[in-house]
Amino acid sequence: MKRMNPKVDGYITRAKKWREETKKLRMILLDCGLTEELKWGKPCYTFRESNVVIIQGFKEYCALLFCKGALLEDAKGILIQQTENMQAVRQIRFTNVREIVAPVLKAYVRAAIEVEKAGLEVTYKKTSDFKIPEELQNKLNEIPALKTAFEALTPGRQRGYILYFSGAKQSKTRESRVEKCMPQILKGKGLNDY
């Protein structure tokens, strides 16, 4: 078994929820020969410095997030795509420690390691494949400077805005989001650039 990372020990000690589940998942992942790190404040398990799986805790469940889960065979039908815009990652969710079945999880982890060994990559949709929300398109048509600024953004920044605006269910919320973000777009900045 690989060495435990003291930063992950601290994470588990501080955990208010999912502590036993995290401990059990940790042992399974270490038993698969992955390197344990703490990234984004979560236990992350790597193979040859590539992220393979992350333990996540949420309000209703804890999960194993497979970084290239879209490339895995899902023989047990347990991989979950969190949202339609999640292209690469997939989760296996647990609501209690009894749901964590080591042989099943080890099979998925070993498959994820094989994906890394083979050098496989997820083919991502291009930004142009995403539908621009009507509310944004209207503003782009109305304000040439906004259209120019939006088109000058990197594809990732464009995609970030498109997904953020599209995420609102109501048109008036989408409009409000577009209005609020227009100064940021005109400055050539992404959604989270300050």
Side-chain angles (χ1 to χ4, degrees), residues 52-163:
V52 175
V53 66
I54 299 169
I55 298 175
Q56 301 177 301
F58 295 93
K59 185 177 178 182
E60 304 293 328
Y61 60 89
C62 72
L64 280 184
L65 179 131
F66 288 85
C67 298
K68 294 182 182 176
L71 300 178
L72 299 178
E73 288 287 324
D74 189 11
K76 299 284 184 189
I78 58 177
L79 290 174
I80 297 168
Q81 182 177 0
Q82 290 166 274
T83 69
E84 65 181 56
N85 294 318
M86 293 291 207
Q87 297 181 60
V89 301
R90 298 293 184 271
Q91 287 181 334
I92 300 176
R93 296 177 180 174
F94 313 94
T95 56
N96 64 64
V97 75
R98 293 178 306 283
E99 293 176 349
I100 299 171
V101 180
V104 171
L105 295 180
K106 284 183 179 182
Y108 279 84
V109 172
R110 288 189 186 109
I113 292 169
E114 290 305 313
V115 164
E116 289 305 324
K117 284 181 181 177
L120 301 179
E121 295 294 334
V122 174
T123 304
Y124 291 96
K125 291 195 292 187
K126 295 182 177 93
T127 299
S128 59
D129 294 338
F130 289 91
K131 184 180 181 307
I132 294 180
E134 182 181 345
E135 297 78 5
L136 173 60
Q137 190 61 60
N138 290 342
K139 286 291 181 188
L140 296 176
N141 294 342
E142 274 176 43
I143 307 167
L146 183 65
K147 182 176 187 201
T148 300
F150 187 79
E151 289 174 350
L153 293 173
T154 64
R157 286 181 172 147
Q158 289 178 10
R159 192 168 45 252
Y161 282 117
I162 290 169
L163 295 176

